[in-house]
């Protein structure tokens, strides 16, 4: 089998890239380890920046997002019992859209099925070959049958645990990592959100986040210990712990109900450099991870895809290799800005088990600065809505 671009992974990065290339007449195949239903069952991102909105439109998959997505003009931070509002529109002229990763993935899957571009789900033992030469190949097994795909380029969009990054010899790649001493316990429920804006909560018991997917579906998170067992968190315990971290107004408005999903995610900052190895290109979580506090993971995947799709389009349409040659440095410059912002938001809002009194005072001073200074609030808002390209 032969294609122009072999894409590993059908998460948002792989699906978006595949759709953008297809619309420019560039052949591609997507190879995914899981079933479509499994991919759609992972509850992840909820907040998207303009870059992701624009790319979904370009991919021809933005129609439902515009109909159902919720435009958010600002966000709220509840710190030690007092609520503050960061007005994105006033401070930056921009807004974000609340539209779940599940819905984005579904829209992209449907767009791909409608145009007949090939995706192979439930592939096993994907392996990458000869990407340091001119004729890379990808091998996989499906239903016991081995297949080899010859291609011009491989796009590794297979997330943090994927095979692409691991296929690079260790002396060609450098990784940077910070693992945080806590995780997020998330709960999804068909209950109306407690507020029409997200509320980021700093509390001595630990961070919490009130988010949403729609006017009738809420997403809540609690900072938890990494040793936490999900079975030790029946819904009632989750709701009572959340209530303790909220203010009076939110406590009064909170509507609780049966969870439809509950999971624990560890928090990590991670970057692999470079993001290109000959004819293999990494994009999205395969190359970098941010803690979710800044809502940047999916948006970074989209910004990588913006650079990478343009690089391939320039290569095939105008025989230019400039985009390919600069892909890694361009993507990484944006990645490190998002890494810094996500680390900063995480550090400012969470309770760190090892923090001394001094660290806690600094954390409080940092927050006070954001609440009192328009310049500091603007810096937060500018990064939250997405830095300009
Ligand atoms: P994904 O989504 O992990 O997709 C990778 C795909 O590759 C497949 N795969 C393989 N396929 C073939 N062969 C192999 N060997 C393979 N190994 C893996 C996997 O099955 C999968 O389908 O990566 P991608 O596309 O780069 O997308 C990244 C985003 O999913 C991620 O950054 C965000 O979800 C992060 N994130 C958030 N991002 C935001 O922008 N805004 C948010 O509000 C936000 N909230 C979140 C988040 C992530 C969270 N968790 C669970 C880590 C909230 C949470 C709780
Ligand atoms: C979510 O709705 O899942 C969400 C929103 C904002 C974040 C992280 C997660 O910062």
């Amino acid at each position: 089998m032969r294609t122009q671009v072999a894409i590993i992974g059908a998460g948002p990065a792989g699906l978006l890239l595949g759709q953008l290339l297809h619309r420019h007449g560039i052949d591609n195949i997507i190879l995914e380890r899981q079933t479509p239903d499994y991919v759609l069952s992972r509850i992840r991102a909820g907040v998207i920046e303009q870059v992701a909105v624009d790319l979904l439109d370009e991919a021809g998959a933005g129609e439902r997002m515009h109909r159902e997505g919720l435009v958010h003009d600002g966000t709220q931070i509840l710190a030690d019992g007092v609520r503050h509002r960061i007005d994105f529109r006033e401070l930056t002229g921009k807004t974000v859209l609340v539209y779940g990763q599940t819905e984005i993935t579904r829209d992209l899957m449907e767009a791909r099925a409608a145009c007949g571009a090939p995706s192979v789900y439930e592939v096993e033992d994907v392996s990458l070959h000869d990407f340091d030469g001119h004729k890379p190949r990808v091998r996989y097994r499906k239903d016991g049958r081995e297949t080899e795909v010859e291609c011009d380029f491989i796009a590794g969009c297979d997330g943090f645990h994927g095979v692409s990054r691991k296929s690079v010899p260790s002396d060609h790649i450098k990784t940077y990592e910070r693992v945080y001493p806590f995780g997020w316990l998330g709960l999804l429920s068909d209950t109306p959100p407690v507020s029409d804006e997200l509320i980021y909560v700093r509390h001595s018991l630990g961070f919490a986040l009130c988010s949403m997917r729609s006017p009738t579906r809420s997403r809540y998170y609690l900072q938890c210990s990494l040793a936490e067992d999900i079975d030790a968190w029946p819904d009632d315990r989750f709701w009572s712990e959340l209530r303790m971290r909220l203010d009076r107004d939110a406590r009064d408005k909170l509507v609780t109900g049966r969870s439809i999903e509950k999971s624990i995610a560890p928090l990590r900052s991670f970057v692999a450099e470079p993001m290109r190895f000959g004819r293999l290109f990494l994009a999205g979580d395969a190359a970098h991870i941010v803690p979710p506090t800044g809502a940047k993971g999916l948006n970074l995947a989209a910004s990588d895809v913006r650079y990478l799709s343009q690089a391939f389009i320039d290569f095939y349409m105008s025989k230019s290799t400039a985009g390919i040659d600069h892909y890694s440095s361009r993507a990484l410059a944006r990645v490190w800005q998002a890494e810094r912002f996500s680390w900063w938001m995480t550090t400012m809002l969470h309770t760190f088990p090892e923090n001394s009194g001094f660290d806690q005072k600094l954390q409080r001073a940092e927050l006070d600065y954001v609440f009192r200074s328009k310049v500091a609030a603007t810096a937060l808002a500018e990064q939250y809505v997405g830095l300009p390209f």
Side-chain angles (χ1 to χ4, degrees), residues 142-210:
K142 163 93 181 167
D143 300 331
R145 236 189 77 219
E146 299 279 344
T147 302
E148 182 170 285
V149 183
E150 287 177 16
C151 55
D152 299 331
F153 301 103
I154 303 172
C157 302
D158 48 353
F160 184 67
H161 299 289
V163 66
S164 300
R165 192 183 65 251
K166 290 177 193 148
S167 306
V168 177
S170 58
D171 54 340
H172 286 60
I173 191 165
K174 182 158 173 52
T175 58
Y176 302 83
E177 184 168 33
R178 169 154 307 176
V179 177
Y180 299 87
F182 41 72
W184 279 17
L185 170 60
L187 179 147
L188 188 72
S189 65
D190 276 328
T191 52
V194 68
S195 148
D196 54 9
E197 292 182 337
L198 269 64
I199 310 176
Y200 287 84
V201 185
R202 178 201 194 249
H203 192 282
S204 56
L205 291 171
F207 170 83
L209 172 62
C210 305

Side-chain angles (χ1 to χ4, degrees), residues 297-310:
L298 172 60
N299 295 302
L300 264 192
S303 84
D304 289 352
V305 167
R306 185 184 136 132
Y307 292 125
L308 190 54
S309 58
Q310 201 52 57

Side-chain angles (χ1 to χ4, degrees), residues 8 56 65 71 118 154 184 194 224 255 275 292 306 309 314 325 377:
I8 322 294
L56 275 157
M65 166 185 71
V71 175
I154 303 172
W184 279 17
V194 68
C224 66
V255 181
M275 288 169 61
R306 185 184 136 132
S309 58
D314 289 349
D325 293 338

Side-chain angles (χ1 to χ4, degrees), residues 198-234:
L198 269 64
I199 310 176
Y200 287 84
V201 185
R202 178 201 194 249
H203 192 282
S204 56
L205 291 171
F207 170 83
L209 172 62
C210 305
S211 182
M212 67 193 74
R213 290 292 175 274
S214 74
T216 57
R217 183 167 284 188
S218 302
R219 179 73 166 158
Y220 295 101
Y221 295 99
L222 291 174
Q223 176 183 348
C224 66
S225 135
L226 282 172
E228 211 57 76
D229 175 6
I230 193 95
D231 294 333
W233 284 89

Side-chain angles (χ1 to χ4, degrees), residues 344-360:
W344 176 71
M345 287 283 281
T346 303
T347 309
M348 186 167 65
L349 293 169
H350 288 73
T351 306
F352 283 73
E354 76 274 20
N355 263 10
S356 64
F358 184 79
D359 294 315
Q360 286 167 24

Side-chain angles (χ1 to χ4, degrees), residues 23 52-70 97 99 103-104 106-108 110-111:
R23 284 172 83 90
V53 171
D54 291 345
L55 280 181
L56 275 157
D57 281 335
E58 249 180 74
E63 197 246 329
R64 192 163 67 99
M65 166 185 71
H66 288 294
R67 226 177 333 116
E68 295 180 12
L70 307 170
L97 196 67
Y99 189 63
E103 306 313 317
I104 292 177
R106 194 190 307 279
D107 295 345
L108 285 165
E110 281 175 9

